């Protein structure tokens, strides 16, 4: 049995490790040489091998792999200071000395190209002059003929980096929420709980969103709270923050919705992080002994405080089990039981009738209504007897 | 303090034991499950005048709770018995 338990644990661990998504940064992609070479053959591709910089105001060295369709011009790597607007101020690093026209490689070369960027090479002809390299996100533009194309990685997504930093994953331009607090399963001692997050609504997302709604629902209670922002912004990462006053020793579930007044579906719930559409947190305060007096004239109070300190469990310790319960109830295999019970509870087995059985009022009064009442009693009695019998014979 | 320590120790032990379970994604039932229940509801509602369907629903839910609790108890006892030194 012990060997079986160990084997199951190892299998679960292997499953967990292999099921996690691969890091989407270029550094990891660069190890998958097959995807870099075989994909993205119709537009310029660039992979940044490594990057070194002392930070803002210093030169930067890039090792790059760049290839694509043959160009008629010189291969140049440009960068912009604005991650979302390629028309912003442009700094220029030249590859003139390496490639010229048809020499631009059509497949990935075995050795990277070393590109040296000198701080302060952004001159007025390209924009406002950038010296704060490390502040902005940068893209690589590669020329094709007389136009410039944004260089992409092997997955055809635009690449961004910042000088002085490691390569970063590009900002998420899909509709999403990030940096959500309070975190799932957290415990806060303060009754003033600030729910804060950043949201991004893509321009191509559903139209008509006018506000963002935060909903709080008490777990194990009837408390609810709600907050609506006065507006919703498309296309820009926007912060939302609101402080809720919550009673102590309570557990809450928080969720976020996009509100579209006048639409058939007015509320659209948005996930707070991959796989989570709501978070749970608890509000608690440790018990204090402030009301018990301990002094020379109140010695009993001193003993009372000592015993309370030694033996009274704090709300902090007790709430751990509440959160444990909340964690377990959503995970397999227990989650299936809870989910089924929730569905059975929420489903109304007496919904809209698709047929009606005709009857007479007299028959109802004399036969069917008393029969129904009798059946109710019978069902409960049979249930109680069955339960008693099964518990009596059960070996726990 | 003492009880706090025991509770936190117990919590930590349970957390370690169930940590592989927490790695899984949250359980979501397929929408067809709810749809099937609702559809069954539309057919059974016509009978509610004669047969107490609402009582049957309540008893079913209670049964699931009780069986689940018994299974959970047996699981916990099994786990406790696996601790060395406990018969």
């Amino acid at each position: 049995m012990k060997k079986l338990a160990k084997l199951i644990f190892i299998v679960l661990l292997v499953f967990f490790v292999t099921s996690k998504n691969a890091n989407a940064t270029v550094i990891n992609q660069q190890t998958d040489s097959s995807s870099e070479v075989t994909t993205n053959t119709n537009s310029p591709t660039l992979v940044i091998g490594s990057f070194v910089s002392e930070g803002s105001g210093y030169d930067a060295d890039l090792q790059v792999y760049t290839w694509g369709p043959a160009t008629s011009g010189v291969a140049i790597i440009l960068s912009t200071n604005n991650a979302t607007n390629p028309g912003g101020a442009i700094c220029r690093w030249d590859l003139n000395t390496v490639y010229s026209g048809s020499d631009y490689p059509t497949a990935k070369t075995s050795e990277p190209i070393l590109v040296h960027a000198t701080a302060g090479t952004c001159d007025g002809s390209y924009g406002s002059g950038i010296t704060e390299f490390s502040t902005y996100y940068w893209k690589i533009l590669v020329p094709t003929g007389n136009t410039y194309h944004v260089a992409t990685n092997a997955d055809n997504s635009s690449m961004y980096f910042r000088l002085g930093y490691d390569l970063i994953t590009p900002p998420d331009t899909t509709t999403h929420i990030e940096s959500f607090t309070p975190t799932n399963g957290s415990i806060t001692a303060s009754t003033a709980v600030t729910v804060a997050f950043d949201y991004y609504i893509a321009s191509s997302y559903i139209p008509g969103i006018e506000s963002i709604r935060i909903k709080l629902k008490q777990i194990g209670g009837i408390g609810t709270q709600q907050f609506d922002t006065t507006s919703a912004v498309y296309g820009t990462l926007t912060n939302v923050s609101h402080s809720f006053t919550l009673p102590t020793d309570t557990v809450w579930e928080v969720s976020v919705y996009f509100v579209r007044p006048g639409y058939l579906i007015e509320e659209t719930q948005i996930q707070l992080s991959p796989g989570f559409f709501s978070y749970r947190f608890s509000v608690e305060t440790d018990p204090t002994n402030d009301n018990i007096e301990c002094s020379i004239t109140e010695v009993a109070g001193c003993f009372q405080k000592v015993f309370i300190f030694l033996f009274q469990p704090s709300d902090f310790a007790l709430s751990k089990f509440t959160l444990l319960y909340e964690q377990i109830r959503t995970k397999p295999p227990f989650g299936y039981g809870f989910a089924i019970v929730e569905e059975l509870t929420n489903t109304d087995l007496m919904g809209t009738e698709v047929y009606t059985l005709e009857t007479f009022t007299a028959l109802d009064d004399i036969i069917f209504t008393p029969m129904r009442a009798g059946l109710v009693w019978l069902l409960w009695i049979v249930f109680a007897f069955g339960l008693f019998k099964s518990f009596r014979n059960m070996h726990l | 303090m003492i009880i706090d320590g025991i509770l936190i120790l117990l919590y930590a032990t349970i957390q370690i034991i169930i940590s592989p379970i927490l790695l899984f994604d949250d359980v979501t039932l397929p929408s067809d499950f709810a749809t099937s229940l609702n559809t069954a509801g539309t057919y059974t509602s016509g009978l509610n005048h004669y047969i107490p369907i609402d009582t049957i629903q309540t008893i079913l839910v209670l049964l699931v709770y009780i069986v689940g609790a018994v299974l959970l108890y047996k699981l916990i006892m099994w786990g406790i018995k696996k601790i060395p030194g406990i018969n």
Side-chain angles (χ1 to χ4, degrees), chain A residues 12 309-311 313-314 317 324 330-332 341 343-344 347 349-353 355 359 364 368 372 376 380, chain B residues 1-4 15 21 24 26-27 34 38 41-45 48-50 52 54-55 57 64-65 72-73:
Chain A
L12 284 174
F309 173 73
L310 284 176
F311 295 110
S314 64
L324 189 66
T330 57
K331 301 295 181 189
V341 168
E343 287 292 345
L344 283 174
T347 302
L349 288 180
M350 292 161 295
T352 310
E353 298 176 5
Y355 60 86
T359 183
D364 273 348
F368 293 121
R372 191 180 186 282
V376 171
W380 280 113
Chain B
M1 189 173 82
I2 295 172
I3 303 292
D4 258 6
Q15 191 77 2
I21 296 174
F24 287 102
D26 281 2
V27 163
N38 288 325
T42 61
Y43 289 112
T44 58
S45 58
N48 189 52
H49 188 66
Y50 311 98
D54 49 353
T55 308
Q57 180 181 0
V64 173
Y65 271 127
L72 186 65
Y73 174 79

Side-chain angles (χ1 to χ4, degrees), chain A residues 162-312:
Chain A
R162 284 190 298 179
L163 298 187
Y165 293 84
D166 290 333
L167 285 175
I168 58 173
T169 51
D172 188 354
T173 54
T174 61
T175 301
H176 70 282
I177 282 179
E178 60 185 68
S179 308
F180 192 96
T181 57
T183 52
N184 194 26
S186 62
I187 301 170
T188 176
S190 170
T191 55
V193 177
T194 300
V195 176
F197 55 91
D198 296 323
Y199 73 88
Y200 184 93
I201 307 176
S203 306
S204 56
Y205 195 62
I206 51 173
I209 299 173
E210 293 188 6
S211 63
I212 312 300
R213 178 170 291 165
I214 304 172
K215 278 190 183 178
L216 288 179
K217 181 182 154 193
Q218 187 178 356
I219 304 298
I222 58 172
T224 57
Q225 293 202 27
Q226 181 173 302
F227 168 74
D228 284 11
T229 61
T230 53
S231 63
V233 178
Y234 280 78
T236 307
L237 195 67
T238 308
N239 181 261
V240 173
S241 178
H242 183 76
S243 180
F244 295 89
T245 302
L246 305 174
T248 59
D249 303 326
T250 52
V251 181
W252 295 83
E253 181 179 87
V254 58
S255 47
V256 175
Y257 299 81
F258 291 154
V259 181
R260 303 198 295 158
Y263 282 77
L264 185 65
I265 300 172
E266 187 173 302
E267 286 182 346
T268 303
Q269 190 171 7
I270 188 80
Q271 65 180 8
L272 308 181
S273 61
F276 287 88
F277 279 86
S278 63
Y279 280 172
R280 287 185 177 164
F281 63 92
S282 72
V283 180
E284 63 179 53
T285 51
D286 281 332
T288 61
N289 300 324
D290 291 338
N291 294 331
I292 301 170
E293 220 176 291
C294 170
S295 62
I296 293 177
T297 55
E298 297 286 339
V299 178
C302 298
F303 282 106
Q304 203 172 352
K305 283 198 173 190
V306 166
F307 280 112
I308 287 173
F309 173 73
L310 284 176
F311 295 110
Q312 183 174 3

